[in-house]
């Protein structure tokens, strides 16, 4: 077998392990989601070794999707960290064997504080499963490791089950993109979801035209504006919009008579407008839907405040 085939086979083995999880998902999964959904405190994820690494990732995913959560190593609990737990919390304990000694010694402390435990292991008959309020079976037939020793398929299965919990909770909470953005203000998605027209619009040296302006003069102002458009304004209110495309088509249509026409002859009389606080994501949707490259930013009286173009939305 070639090197590439080894890698392909590993992915196939892990993919099959994930598909094999589906028949094992039952009412225990639903109960786990309910416990986390109605948790009045925090979801505390714990595990040792590779399960600990997986647990840390699951905790991060939960926290970033609306479920207050953090990871703690059970070894740390023996050295003073038990105080982070309180009534109202829920513990998600992960162990492939369900028999990990360090984790099992941690469980009596949790039960003593009347904190429900969601166990996640590959052994429904394990002590972890026995002492858990509900148990999620993430058992796999074999590891992708050719020696069937290194945690591979088993860690992938646990990670996928953690994602399944997070996604189910998002659906139950009706978690929206805006919620995600508030938890990720520094990321690209957060910037796009939180940024408004006011933050990116151009408001100086806007190409303002009169509806009666000759097209020859209008071309000069549109060119100077470097936005590919000109805004027709009458008595302080927007009455139309012309673009480079409008000018090009008018030139082809009228040819020598082009300069005898005015802005109002070619302008779009109802250009797309948004308010100062319109989100960039909504503006992008408007541009894509109507196949335009710019929108006008206006106040309540429909007076021009600025222009947001395609490039302004590229955060």
């Amino acid at each position: 077998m070639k090197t590439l085939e080894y890698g392909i086979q590993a992915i196939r083995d892990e993919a099959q392990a994930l598909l094999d999880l589906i028949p094992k998902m039952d009412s225990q999964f639903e109960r786990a989601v309910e416990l986390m959904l109605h948790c009045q405190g925090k979801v505390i994820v714990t595990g040792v070794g590779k399960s600990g690494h997986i647990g840390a990732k699951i905790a991060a995913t939960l926290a970033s999707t609306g479920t207050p959560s953090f990871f703690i190593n059970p070894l740390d609990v023996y050295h003073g960290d038990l105080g982070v737990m309180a009534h109202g919390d829920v513990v998600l304990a992960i162990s492939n064997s369900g028999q990990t000694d360090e984790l099992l010694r941690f469980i009596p402390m949790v039960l003593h504080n009347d904190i429900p435990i969601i166990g996640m292991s590959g052994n429904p008959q394990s002590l972890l499963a026995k002492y858990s309020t509900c148990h999620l079976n993430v058992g796999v037939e074999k590891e992708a490791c050719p020696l069937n020793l290194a945690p591979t398929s088993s860690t992938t299965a646990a990670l996928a089950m953690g994602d399944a919990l997070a996604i189910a909770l998002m659906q139950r909470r009706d978690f929206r993109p805006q919620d995600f953005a508030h938890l990720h203000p520094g990321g690209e998605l957060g910037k796009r979801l939180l940024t408004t027209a006011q933050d990116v619009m151009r408001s100086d040296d806007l190409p303002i035209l009169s509806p009666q302006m000759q097209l020859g003069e209008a071309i000069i102002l549109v060119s100077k504006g470097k936005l590919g458009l000109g805004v027709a304004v009458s008595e302080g209110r927007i009455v139309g919009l012309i673009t480079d495309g409008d000018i090009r088509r008018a030139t082809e249509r009228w040819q020598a008579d082009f300069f005898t026409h005015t802005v109002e002859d070619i302008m779009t009389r109802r250009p797309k407008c948004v308010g100062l606080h319109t989100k960039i994501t909504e503006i992008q949707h408007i541009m894509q839907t109507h196949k335009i490259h710019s929108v006008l930013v206006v106040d309540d009286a429909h007076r021009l405040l600025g222009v947001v173009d395609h490039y302004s939305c590229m955060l």
Side-chain angles (χ1 to χ4, degrees):
M1 184 179 288
K2 296 180 180 179
T3 301
L4 178 59
E5 293 173 339
Y6 294 141
I8 292 173
Q9 187 58 48
I11 292 176
R12 282 178 176 158
D13 288 344
E14 296 202 13
Q16 187 59 52
L18 294 185
L19 291 174
D20 291 343
L21 279 185
I22 296 175
K24 299 174 183 176
M25 297 178 69
D26 53 19
S27 60
Q28 294 289 293
F29 179 87
E30 295 178 326
R31 190 176 183 190
V33 170
E34 291 300 318
L35 283 172
M36 299 167 82
L37 181 66
H38 298 293
C39 175
Q40 299 299 308
K42 309 165 293 297
V43 173
I44 302 171
V45 186
T46 187
V48 179
K50 300 297 189 297
S51 293
H53 296 307
I54 296 301
K57 191 276 178 184
I58 292 174
T61 299
L62 290 170
S64 68
T65 53
T67 300
S69 176
F70 67 88
F71 173 81
I72 186 170
N73 190 313
L75 299 175
D76 295 332
V77 174
Y78 308 133
H79 300 283
D81 285 356
L82 185 60
V84 301
M85 296 187 186
H87 184 73
D89 292 342
V90 171
V91 166
L92 172 60
I94 307 170
S95 167
N96 184 44
S97 68
Q99 302 287 129
T100 306
D101 182 63
E102 297 90 341
L103 191 64
L104 293 178
R105 286 191 284 127
F106 161 77
I107 287 178
M109 305 179 194
V110 180
L111 296 177
H112 178 73
N113 286 284
D114 197 27
I115 296 174
I117 299 173
I118 300 170
M120 184 187 296
S121 81
N123 183 4
Q125 307 306 318
S126 65
L127 288 175
L128 174 60
K130 178 180 179 180
Y131 289 110
S132 294
T133 309
C134 58
H135 179 259
L136 304 175
N137 183 359
V138 290
V140 298
E141 289 295 322
K142 66 183 184 70
E143 301 287 3
C145 166
L147 302 177
N148 199 31
L149 294 175
T152 46
S153 297
S154 58
T155 50
T156 300
L159 185 63
M161 186 62 75
D163 287 342
L165 289 169
I167 298 305
L169 285 163
M170 288 177 69
Q171 297 283 4
R172 291 293 305 277
R173 295 184 195 282
D174 193 24
F175 194 78
R176 299 179 178 276
Q178 293 82 356
D179 303 315
F180 191 91
H182 282 293
L183 296 175
H184 299 74
E188 179 182 347
L189 177 62
K191 289 180 181 178
R192 288 195 291 111
L193 289 169
L194 296 177
T195 302
T196 65
Q198 185 176 21
D199 299 321
V200 299
M201 71 181 187
R202 174 175 157 185
S203 57
D204 58 325
D205 298 324
L206 297 176
I208 306 297
L209 315 175
S210 163
Q212 290 75 40
M213 181 180 291
Q214 296 290 321
L215 289 179
E217 184 181 354
I219 289 177
I220 297 173
L221 293 179
V222 169
S223 178
K224 287 182 177 179
K226 297 181 180 180
L227 286 171
L229 56 79
V231 185
V233 175
S234 177
E235 298 181 353
R237 295 168 60 87
I238 298 169
V239 294
L241 173 78
I242 66 171
T243 66
D244 285 338
D246 295 328
I247 294 172
R248 184 181 66 255
R249 287 185 288 273
T251 303
E252 294 172 351
R253 176 184 177 186
W254 290 316
Q255 298 184 14
D257 293 332
F258 171 81
F259 293 99
T260 65
H261 290 273
T262 63
V263 168
E264 64 182 345
D265 292 333
I266 66 170
M267 69 183 186
T268 298
R269 297 180 182 276
R270 299 183 68 179
K272 299 302 176 185
C273 300
V274 300
L276 282 173
H277 304 296
T278 304
K279 298 290 193 298
I280 288 299
T281 48
E282 183 179 344
I283 293 174
Q284 288 176 317
H285 178 71
I286 292 172
M287 291 181 182
Q288 292 168 2
T289 301
H290 298 281
K291 296 180 173 56
I292 56 178
H293 64 77
S294 302
V295 296
L296 307 182
V297 184
V298 300
D299 62 13
D300 293 339
H302 211 65
R303 292 186 292 261
L304 180 66
L305 300 176
V307 175
V308 175
D309 63 11
H310 171 74
Y311 297 104
S312 303
C313 298
M314 298 174 64
L315 302 175

